[in-house]
Amino acid sequence: MTLAGQASGAGRVSAERERCVGAGQCVLAAPAVFDQDEDDGLVHVLVESPSESQADAVRDAVRACPSGALTLRQPAA
């Protein structure tokens, strides 16, 4: 899990599929931003730059990821 800077705003989210274990915690926390691939169950980022209204859910998803496959980078101030 990486939360680079924790300013307000959702920022930009990315996923390292090779680290993903398919637990689906990201999808539970932020279903509008994350999904799981139908073939292998690994994370798929639906929205790389989530809206401000999705910021809390995205941060929850990053924190909940058991493999640390998600990264959230905050926009430069």
Side-chain angles (χ1 to χ4, degrees), residues 7 74-77:
Q74 296 299 329

Side-chain angles (χ1 to χ4, degrees), residues 1 14-17 19-21 43 65-71:
M1 158 184 75
S14 62
E16 295 179 59
R17 288 178 48 88
R19 290 185 68 177
C20 179
V21 296
V43 64
C65 180
S67 65
L70 304 177
T71 298

